[in-house]
Amino acid sequence: LAVGQQRAAELALAADRAEHRLLLERRRLRRARAALARRLVDIYKTGAPDWAALVLGSDGFEDLVTRSDYLSAIQEADSGLAERVEQVRDLVRHHLALTRRAKARVDAYNARLDAARSQIASVRAAAEAEAAELEAIAASRAATIATLQASIDGWVEDIQAAREAASAEAAEAEVSRWLGGPFSIPAYIVMCESGGNYG
């Protein structure tokens, strides 16, 4: 994602540069068209130069050569101006196409980046849900273990109490065996003295 964001920033910068270059070329085209428009207005007002009028209005051969040089220079300048307008227009079209392609690349890459972001968010949400589920399972197991531990502690206490009770009963039974009954005179004395008659 970090690499994609860096690439998107680079593409956006390239698109901005292409758009800036396009803006400069459009300004050049406006200036060239304005110059061409002014020249066309001048030609309209003064009329197109006529070679016949040039020859007839010359004051000799040297003046004719000078005027024809000026006329050729003017025509070359007019042609050059028209060509410059056409070249700048072609450059504007070229940079417009470059800018559109750059913006299309930026849009396509941003769409891929958005898809990657949503996929990452989906995977993250699934991982968080699974982590929450595992945490709930761990908490449930901890509660079960705590309940089982409490039960075990109770069982141990019950067993110890039963063992103590069993020990007490066994001791009583042993004492009763020695005593021979519920009386305080031991059984062997009763057997010896009265033949086992406690009365």
Side-chain angles (χ1 to χ4, degrees):
L1 185 61
V3 170
Q5 287 171 340
Q6 181 181 357
R7 178 66 179 147
E10 290 170 1
L11 287 173
L13 183 61
D16 289 343
R17 286 180 181 154
E19 195 167 5
H20 180 68
R21 182 68 182 160
L22 175 63
L23 181 66
L24 294 178
E25 293 300 334
R26 281 181 169 165
R27 286 179 186 165
R28 280 185 59 203
L29 180 61
R30 276 198 300 271
R31 288 194 302 269
R33 281 181 172 168
L36 181 61
R38 285 193 301 272
R39 180 63 189 133
L40 290 174
V41 168
D42 289 342
I43 291 173
Y44 177 74
K45 286 180 180 177
T46 60
D50 185 15
W51 286 99
L54 179 71
V55 171
L56 293 176
S58 301
D59 294 334
F61 182 72
E62 192 173 314
D63 187 35
L64 176 64
V65 170
T66 303
R67 287 184 182 209
S68 89
D69 287 344
Y70 283 144
L71 186 59
S72 296
I74 289 170
Q75 287 178 342
E76 284 177 13
D78 291 344
S79 297
L81 180 60
E83 287 175 8
R84 193 171 83 223
V85 168
E86 189 175 355
Q87 287 172 354
V88 173
R89 185 197 62 203
D90 291 343
L91 271 174
V92 166
R93 287 178 179 166
H94 173 69
H95 285 290
L96 179 61
L98 288 177
T99 303
R100 284 179 178 161
R101 281 199 296 273
K103 286 185 176 181
R105 277 199 305 269
V106 168
D107 292 342
Y109 202 84
N110 284 340
R112 287 173 55 197
L113 200 56
D114 289 341
R117 279 193 190 105
S118 64
Q119 186 176 4
I120 288 170
S122 171
V123 169
R124 180 179 290 145
E128 287 173 354
E130 189 172 346
E133 184 179 347
L134 289 173
E135 190 175 340
I137 290 171
S140 172
R141 286 181 180 170
T144 303
I145 288 171
T147 303
L148 186 58
Q149 187 66 43
S151 297
I152 288 172
D153 291 343
W155 296 336
V156 167
E157 289 174 5
D158 291 346
I159 289 170
Q160 286 176 346
R163 187 173 69 196
E164 288 172 5
S167 296
E169 286 177 12
E172 247 180 69
E174 187 66 22
V175 168
S176 294
R177 191 173 66 78
W178 281 100
L179 293 177
F183 303 102
S184 60
I185 302 171
Y188 63 90
I189 293 175
V190 174
M191 289 300 289
C192 179
E193 296 293 326
S194 63
N197 184 359
Y198 282 93

